[in-house]
Coordinates of all heavy atoms in Angstrom, one line a residue:
M1 N -20.2 -46.1 20.5 CA -19.0 -46.6 19.8 C -19.6 -47.6 18.8 O -20.4 -48.5 19.1 CB -18.0 -47.2 20.7 CG -16.7 -47.6 20.0 SD -15.5 -48.0 21.1 CE -14.0 -48.4 20.0
G2 N -19.2 -47.5 17.6 CA -19.5 -48.6 16.6 C -20.8 -48.4 15.8 O -21.3 -49.2 15.2
K3 N -21.1 -47.0 15.9 CA -22.3 -46.7 15.0 C -21.9 -46.6 13.5 O -20.8 -46.3 13.2 CB -22.9 -45.3 15.4 CG -23.5 -45.3 16.7 CD -24.3 -44.0 17.0 CE -24.8 -44.0 18.3 NZ -24.0 -44.0 19.4
C4 N -22.8 -47.1 12.6 CA -22.5 -47.1 11.2 C -22.0 -45.9 10.7 O -21.1 -45.8 9.9 CB -23.6 -47.7 10.4 SG -24.0 -49.4 10.8
K5 N -22.6 -44.7 11.1 CA -22.3 -43.4 10.6 C -20.8 -43.1 11.0 O -20.1 -42.6 10.2 CB -23.2 -42.4 11.1 CG -23.0 -41.0 10.4 CD -24.1 -40.0 10.9 CE -23.7 -39.3 12.2 NZ -24.6 -38.2 12.5
D6 N -20.4 -43.5 12.1 CA -19.1 -43.2 12.5 C -18.1 -44.2 11.8 O -17.0 -43.7 11.4 CB -18.9 -43.5 14.1 CG -19.7 -42.6 14.9 OD1 -20.0 -41.3 14.3 OD2 -20.3 -42.9 15.9
I7 N -18.5 -45.4 11.6 CA -17.6 -46.4 11.0 C -17.4 -46.1 9.5 O -16.2 -46.1 9.0 CB -18.2 -47.7 11.1 CG1 -18.3 -48.1 12.6 CG2 -17.4 -48.8 10.5 CD1 -17.0 -48.2 13.4
T8 N -18.4 -45.7 8.8 CA -18.2 -45.3 7.4 C -17.4 -44.1 7.3 O -16.7 -44.0 6.3 CB -19.7 -45.2 6.8 OG1 -20.4 -44.2 7.4 CG2 -20.4 -46.5 6.6
R9 N -17.6 -43.1 8.2 CA -16.8 -42.0 8.2 C -15.2 -42.4 8.4 O -14.4 -41.9 7.7 CB -17.2 -41.0 9.2 CG -16.3 -39.7 9.1 CD -16.9 -38.6 9.9 NE -16.8 -39.0 11.3 CZ -15.7 -38.8 12.1 NH1 -14.6 -38.4 11.6 NH2 -15.8 -39.3 13.4
L10 N -15.0 -43.2 9.3 CA -13.6 -43.7 9.4 C -13.1 -44.4 8.3 O -11.9 -44.3 7.9 CB -13.6 -44.6 10.7 CG -13.7 -44.0 12.1 CD1 -13.8 -45.0 13.2 CD2 -12.6 -42.9 12.4
L11 N -13.9 -45.2 7.7 CA -13.5 -45.9 6.4 C -13.1 -45.0 5.3 O -12.1 -45.2 4.6 CB -14.6 -46.9 5.9 CG -14.9 -48.1 6.8 CD1 -16.1 -48.8 6.3 CD2 -13.7 -49.0 6.8
S12 N -13.9 -43.9 5.3 CA -13.5 -42.9 4.2 C -12.2 -42.2 4.7 O -11.4 -42.0 3.8 CB -14.6 -41.8 4.1 OG -15.8 -42.4 3.7
D13 N -12.1 -41.8 5.9 CA -10.9 -41.1 6.3 C -9.7 -42.0 6.1 O -8.6 -41.5 5.9 CB -11.0 -40.8 7.9 CG -11.9 -39.8 8.1 OD1 -12.5 -39.1 7.2 OD2 -12.3 -39.5 9.3
A14 N -9.9 -43.3 6.3 CA -8.7 -44.2 6.1 C -8.0 -44.2 4.8 O -6.9 -44.5 4.5 CB -9.1 -45.7 6.5
L15 N -8.7 -43.6 3.8 CA -8.1 -43.5 2.5 C -7.2 -42.4 2.3 O -6.4 -42.3 1.4 CB -9.3 -43.3 1.4 CG -10.4 -44.4 1.3 CD1 -11.4 -44.0 0.3 CD2 -9.7 -45.7 1.0
E16 N -7.4 -41.5 3.3 CA -6.5 -40.2 3.2 C -5.6 -40.0 4.4 O -4.8 -39.2 4.4 CB -7.6 -39.0 3.2 CG -8.4 -39.1 2.0 CD -9.4 -38.0 1.9 OE1 -9.4 -37.1 2.8 OE2 -10.2 -37.9 1.0
R17 N -5.8 -40.7 5.4 CA -4.8 -40.6 6.5 C -4.8 -42.0 7.4 O -5.7 -42.9 7.1 CB -5.4 -39.5 7.6 CG -6.7 -39.9 8.3 CD -7.0 -38.8 9.2 NE -8.4 -39.0 9.8 CZ -8.6 -39.7 10.9 NH1 -7.4 -40.4 11.5 NH2 -9.7 -39.9 11.4
N18 N -3.8 -42.1 8.2 CA -3.7 -43.3 8.9 C -4.6 -43.2 10.2 O -4.6 -42.1 10.9 CB -2.3 -43.6 9.5 CG -1.3 -43.9 8.3 OD1 -1.7 -44.7 7.4 ND2 -0.1 -43.4 8.3
L19 N -5.5 -44.2 10.4 CA -6.3 -44.1 11.5 C -5.6 -44.3 12.8 O -4.5 -45.0 12.9 CB -7.4 -45.2 11.4 CG -8.3 -45.2 10.2 CD1 -9.4 -46.1 10.3 CD2 -9.0 -43.7 10.2
E20 N -6.1 -43.8 13.9 CA -5.5 -44.0 15.2 C -5.8 -45.5 15.6 O -6.8 -46.0 15.2 CB -6.0 -43.0 16.2 CG -5.7 -41.6 15.9 CD -6.4 -40.7 16.9 OE1 -6.9 -41.1 17.9 OE2 -6.5 -39.5 16.6
L21 N -5.1 -46.0 16.6 CA -5.3 -47.3 17.1 C -6.7 -47.5 17.5 O -7.4 -48.4 17.1 CB -4.4 -47.6 18.2 CG -4.5 -49.0 18.7 CD1 -4.4 -50.0 17.7 CD2 -3.6 -49.3 20.0
R22 N -7.3 -46.5 18.2 CA -8.6 -46.7 18.8 C -9.6 -46.8 17.7 O -10.6 -47.4 17.7 CB -9.0 -45.8 19.8 CG -9.0 -44.3 19.2 CD -9.2 -43.4 20.4 NE -9.2 -41.9 20.0 CZ -10.1 -41.3 19.4 NH1 -11.3 -42.0 19.0 NH2 -9.9 -40.1 18.9
E23 N -9.4 -46.0 16.6 CA -10.2 -46.0 15.4 C -10.2 -47.3 14.7 O -11.2 -47.8 14.3 CB -9.9 -44.9 14.5 CG -10.0 -43.4 15.1 CD -9.5 -42.2 14.3 OE1 -8.5 -42.5 13.7 OE2 -10.1 -41.2 14.3
R24 N -8.9 -47.8 14.5 CA -8.9 -49.1 13.8 C -9.6 -50.2 14.6 O -10.2 -51.1 14.1 CB -7.4 -49.4 13.6 CG -6.7 -48.6 12.6 CD -5.5 -49.3 12.1 NE -4.5 -49.6 13.0 CZ -3.5 -48.8 13.5 NH1 -3.4 -47.6 13.0 NH2 -2.7 -49.2 14.5
L25 N -9.5 -50.1 15.9 CA -10.1 -51.1 16.8 C -11.6 -50.9 16.6 O -12.4 -52.0 16.6 CB -9.7 -50.9 18.3 CG -8.3 -51.3 18.6 CD1 -8.0 -50.9 20.0 CD2 -8.0 -52.7 18.4
A26 N -12.1 -49.8 16.6 CA -13.7 -49.6 16.4 C -14.1 -50.2 15.2 O -15.1 -51.0 15.0 CB -14.0 -48.1 16.5
V27 N -13.3 -49.9 14.1 CA -13.6 -50.5 12.7 C -13.6 -52.0 12.8 O -14.5 -52.7 12.3 CB -12.8 -49.9 11.6 CG1 -13.0 -50.6 10.3 CG2 -13.1 -48.4 11.5
G28 N -12.4 -52.5 13.3 CA -12.3 -53.9 13.4 C -13.3 -54.6 14.2 O -13.6 -55.8 13.9
A29 N -13.8 -54.0 15.3 CA -14.9 -54.6 16.1 C -16.3 -54.6 15.3 O -17.1 -55.4 15.5 CB -15.0 -53.9 17.4
H30 N -16.4 -53.5 14.6 CA -17.8 -53.4 13.9 C -18.0 -54.2 12.6 O -19.0 -54.7 12.4 CB -18.1 -51.9 13.7 CG -19.3 -51.6 13.1 ND1 -20.5 -51.4 13.9 CD2 -19.7 -51.3 11.8 CE1 -21.5 -51.1 13.0 NE2 -21.1 -51.1 11.8
L31 N -16.9 -54.1 11.7 CA -17.1 -54.7 10.5 C -17.6 -56.2 10.5 O -18.5 -56.6 9.7 CB -15.8 -54.6 9.7 CG -15.5 -53.3 9.1 CD1 -14.2 -53.3 8.2 CD2 -16.6 -52.8 8.2
P32 N -17.0 -57.1 11.3 CA -17.6 -58.4 11.4 C -19.1 -58.5 11.7 O -19.6 -59.5 11.4 CB -16.6 -59.1 12.4 CG -15.5 -58.3 12.5 CD -15.9 -56.8 12.2
T33 N -19.6 -57.5 12.3 CA -21.0 -57.6 12.7 C -21.9 -56.9 11.8 O -23.2 -56.9 12.0 CB -21.1 -57.0 14.1 OG1 -21.0 -55.6 14.0 CG2 -20.1 -57.5 15.0
C34 N -21.5 -56.3 10.8 CA -22.2 -55.3 9.9 C -21.9 -55.5 8.4 O -20.9 -55.0 8.0 CB -22.0 -54.0 10.5 SG -23.0 -52.7 9.5
S35 N -22.8 -56.1 7.7 CA -22.6 -56.3 6.3 C -22.8 -55.0 5.6 O -22.0 -54.8 4.5 CB -23.6 -57.4 5.8 OG -24.9 -56.8 5.9
G36 N -23.5 -54.1 6.0 CA -23.6 -52.9 5.4 C -22.3 -52.0 5.3 O -21.9 -51.5 4.4
C37 N -21.6 -52.1 6.5 CA -20.3 -51.3 6.5 C -19.1 -52.2 5.7 O -18.4 -51.5 5.1 CB -19.9 -51.0 7.9 SG -20.9 -49.9 8.8
R38 N -19.3 -53.5 5.7 CA -18.3 -54.2 4.9 C -18.6 -53.9 3.4 O -17.8 -53.8 2.6 CB -18.5 -55.7 5.1 CG -18.0 -56.3 6.4 CD -17.7 -57.6 6.5 NE -18.9 -58.5 6.1 CZ -19.9 -58.8 7.0 NH1 -19.8 -58.5 8.3 NH2 -20.8 -59.7 6.7
N39 N -19.8 -53.9 3.0 CA -20.1 -53.4 1.6 C -19.6 -52.0 1.3 O -19.1 -51.7 0.3 CB -21.7 -53.5 1.3 CG -22.1 -54.9 1.2 OD1 -21.3 -55.8 0.9 ND2 -23.3 -55.1 1.5
F40 N -19.8 -51.1 2.3 CA -19.3 -49.8 2.0 C -17.7 -49.8 1.8 O -17.3 -49.1 0.9 CB -19.8 -48.8 3.3 CG -19.1 -47.5 3.2 CD1 -19.9 -46.6 2.5 CD2 -18.0 -47.1 3.7 CE1 -19.4 -45.1 2.4 CE2 -17.5 -45.8 3.7 CZ -18.3 -44.9 2.9
R41 N -17.2 -50.5 2.7 CA -15.6 -50.5 2.6 C -15.2 -51.0 1.2 O -14.3 -50.6 0.6 CB -15.0 -51.4 3.7 CG -13.5 -51.5 3.6 CD -12.9 -52.2 4.8 NE -13.3 -53.6 4.5 CZ -12.7 -54.7 5.1 NH1 -11.8 -54.4 6.0 NH2 -13.0 -55.9 4.9
R42 N -15.8 -52.1 0.9 CA -15.5 -52.8 -0.5 C -15.8 -51.7 -1.6 O -15.0 -51.6 -2.5 CB -16.4 -54.0 -0.7 CG -16.0 -54.7 -2.0 CD -16.7 -56.0 -2.1 NE -18.2 -56.0 -2.1 CZ -19.1 -56.9 -2.0 NH1 -18.7 -58.1 -1.8 NH2 -20.4 -56.6 -1.9
H43 N -16.9 -51.0 -1.4 CA -17.3 -50.1 -2.5 C -16.3 -48.8 -2.6 O -15.9 -48.6 -3.7 CB -18.7 -49.4 -2.2 CG -19.3 -48.7 -3.3 ND1 -19.6 -49.1 -4.5 CD2 -19.6 -47.3 -3.4 CE1 -20.1 -48.2 -5.3 NE2 -20.0 -47.1 -4.7
I44 N -15.9 -48.3 -1.5 CA -14.9 -47.2 -1.6 C -13.6 -47.8 -2.0 O -12.7 -47.0 -2.5 CB -14.9 -46.4 -0.2 CG1 -14.4 -47.3 0.9 CG2 -16.3 -45.7 0.1 CD1 -14.1 -46.5 2.2
G45 N -13.3 -49.0 -1.7 CA -12.0 -49.6 -2.1 C -12.0 -49.6 -3.6 O -10.9 -49.3 -4.3
L46 N -13.1 -50.0 -4.2 CA -13.1 -49.9 -5.7 C -13.1 -48.6 -6.3 O -12.4 -48.4 -7.3 CB -14.5 -50.6 -6.1 CG -14.5 -52.2 -5.9 CD1 -15.9 -52.6 -6.2 CD2 -13.6 -52.9 -6.7
L47 N -13.7 -47.7 -5.6 CA -13.7 -46.2 -6.1 C -12.2 -45.8 -6.1 O -11.7 -45.1 -7.0 CB -14.6 -45.3 -5.2 CG -16.0 -45.4 -5.4 CD1 -16.8 -44.6 -4.4 CD2 -16.4 -45.1 -6.8
R48 N -11.5 -46.1 -5.0 CA -10.1 -45.7 -4.9 C -9.2 -46.3 -6.1 O -8.4 -45.6 -6.7 CB -9.5 -45.9 -3.6 CG -8.1 -45.5 -3.5 CD -7.5 -45.6 -2.0 NE -7.4 -47.1 -1.7 CZ -6.8 -47.4 -0.7 NH1 -6.0 -46.6 0.0 NH2 -6.7 -48.7 -0.4
A49 N -9.5 -47.6 -6.3 CA -8.8 -48.2 -7.4 C -9.0 -47.6 -8.7 O -8.1 -47.4 -9.6 CB -9.2 -49.7 -7.4
A50 N -10.3 -47.2 -8.9 CA -10.7 -46.6 -10.1 C -10.0 -45.2 -10.4 O -9.5 -44.9 -11.4 CB -12.3 -46.5 -10.3
S51 N -10.0 -44.4 -9.2 CA -9.5 -43.1 -9.4 C -7.9 -43.2 -9.6 O -7.4 -42.4 -10.2 CB -9.8 -42.3 -8.1 OG -9.2 -42.8 -7.0
R52 N -7.3 -44.2 -9.1 CA -6.0 -44.3 -9.2 C -5.6 -44.7 -10.7 O -4.7 -44.3 -11.3 CB -5.4 -45.4 -8.2 CG -5.2 -44.9 -6.8 CD -4.8 -45.9 -5.8 NE -3.5 -46.5 -6.1 CZ -3.1 -47.7 -5.7 NH1 -3.9 -48.5 -5.0 NH2 -1.9 -48.2 -6.0
A53 N -6.4 -45.6 -11.1 CA -6.2 -46.1 -12.5 C -6.5 -44.8 -13.4 O -5.7 -44.7 -14.4 CB -7.2 -47.2 -12.8
M54 N -7.5 -44.0 -13.1 CA -7.7 -42.9 -14.1 C -6.5 -41.9 -14.0 O -6.4 -41.0 -14.8 CB -9.0 -42.3 -13.8 CG -10.1 -43.2 -14.2 SD -11.8 -42.4 -14.3 CE -12.0 -42.1 -12.6
S55 N -5.9 -41.8 -12.7 CA -4.9 -40.8 -12.6 C -3.5 -41.0 -13.3 O -2.7 -40.3 -13.3 CB -4.6 -40.6 -11.2 OG -4.0 -41.7 -10.6
G56 N -3.6 -42.3 -14.0 CA -2.4 -42.7 -14.7 C -1.3 -43.4 -13.9 O -0.2 -43.7 -14.5
I57 N -1.6 -43.6 -12.7 CA -0.7 -44.4 -11.8 C -0.7 -45.9 -12.3 O -1.8 -46.6 -12.2 CB -1.0 -44.4 -10.3 CG1 -0.8 -42.9 -10.0 CG2 0.0 -45.3 -9.5 CD1 -1.3 -42.6 -8.5
D58 N 0.3 -46.5 -12.8 CA 0.3 -47.8 -13.4 C 0.8 -48.8 -12.5 O 1.7 -49.6 -12.9 CB 1.0 -47.8 -14.8 CG 0.8 -49.0 -15.6 OD1 -0.2 -49.6 -15.4 OD2 1.6 -49.3 -16.4
D59 N 0.3 -48.8 -11.4 CA 0.9 -49.9 -10.3 C -0.2 -50.9 -10.0 O -0.1 -51.7 -9.1 CB 1.4 -49.3 -9.1 CG 0.3 -48.4 -8.3 OD1 -0.7 -48.4 -8.9 OD2 0.7 -48.0 -7.2
V60 N -1.3 -51.0 -10.7 CA -2.4 -51.9 -10.5 C -2.2 -53.0 -11.5 O -2.4 -52.8 -12.6 CB -3.8 -51.2 -10.7 CG1 -4.8 -52.3 -10.4 CG2 -4.0 -50.1 -9.8
D61 N -1.8 -54.2 -11.0 CA -1.4 -55.2 -11.9 C -2.6 -56.1 -12.2 O -2.5 -57.0 -13.2 CB -0.2 -56.0 -11.3 CG -0.7 -56.6 -9.9 OD1 -1.7 -56.5 -9.6 OD2 0.4 -57.1 -9.2
D62 N -3.8 -56.0 -11.6 CA -4.9 -56.8 -12.0 C -6.1 -55.8 -11.8 O -6.4 -55.3 -10.8 CB -5.1 -58.0 -11.3 CG -5.4 -57.8 -9.8 OD1 -5.1 -56.6 -9.3 OD2 -5.6 -58.9 -9.1
A63 N -6.9 -55.6 -12.9 CA -8.0 -54.8 -12.9 C -9.2 -55.3 -12.4 O -10.4 -54.7 -12.3 CB -8.2 -54.2 -14.3
G64 N -9.3 -56.7 -12.1 CA -10.5 -57.3 -11.8 C -10.9 -57.2 -10.3 O -10.0 -56.6 -9.5
P65 N -12.0 -57.6 -10.0 CA -12.4 -57.5 -8.6 C -11.4 -58.3 -7.6 O -11.1 -59.4 -8.0 CB -13.8 -58.1 -8.5 CG -14.1 -58.6 -9.9 CD -12.9 -58.1 -10.8
R66 N -11.2 -57.7 -6.5 CA -10.3 -58.4 -5.6 C -11.0 -58.8 -4.4 O -11.6 -58.0 -3.7 CB -9.1 -57.6 -5.3 CG -8.0 -58.2 -4.4 CD -6.9 -57.4 -4.2 NE -6.3 -57.0 -5.5 CZ -5.3 -56.1 -5.7 NH1 -4.8 -55.4 -4.6 NH2 -4.8 -55.7 -6.7
E67 N -10.9 -60.1 -3.9 CA -11.5 -60.6 -2.8 C -10.7 -60.1 -1.6 O -9.5 -60.2 -1.7 CB -11.7 -62.2 -2.8 CG -12.8 -62.6 -3.7 CD -14.1 -62.1 -3.5 OE1 -14.5 -62.0 -2.2 OE2 -14.8 -61.9 -4.3
Q68 N -11.4 -59.8 -0.4 CA -10.6 -59.4 0.6 C -10.8 -60.5 1.8 O -11.8 -61.0 1.9 CB -11.1 -58.1 1.2 CG -10.9 -57.0 0.2 CD -11.2 -55.5 0.7 OE1 -11.7 -55.5 1.9 NE2 -11.0 -54.6 -0.1
Ligands
ZN101 ZN1 -22.2 -50.8 10.3

């Protein structure tokens, strides 16, 4: 539990579905210990924001980087 390959897959899945509680717990336990997966999450978050912006959905009120 908590392997980076599994965690990054869950982070990707989270963009398209709600994670189960145990999945969220696994991510929550792993991210504080792993800068690589935190960077991955930040990166895919930016990708999602970019794709939403390009799709014409105008609900993004600030285009700048957002600290989490
Ligand atoms: Zn990791």
Side-chain angles (χ1 to χ4, degrees):
M1 187 172 181
K3 293 188 178 66
C4 290
K5 194 172 87 173
D6 296 329
I7 298 302
T8 54
R9 186 172 60 79
L10 288 175
L11 290 171
S12 295
D13 287 355
L15 299 179
E16 299 176 359
R17 65 177 177 88
N18 291 322
L19 297 182
E20 295 174 18
L21 177 59
R22 62 183 176 82
E23 294 172 326
R24 291 201 302 271
L25 289 174
V27 171
H30 182 83
L31 284 182
T33 71
C34 183
S35 61
C37 288
R38 288 200 302 274
N39 285 336
F40 179 84
R41 183 181 65 169
R42 185 173 58 190
H43 188 66
I44 63 174
L46 291 173
L47 286 177
R48 180 172 65 162
S51 66
R52 285 171 65 199
M54 287 191 298
S55 72
I57 299 173
D58 193 20
D59 62 355
V60 180
D61 55 12
D62 64 349
R66 182 175 302 175
E67 291 296 324
Q68 295 187 356

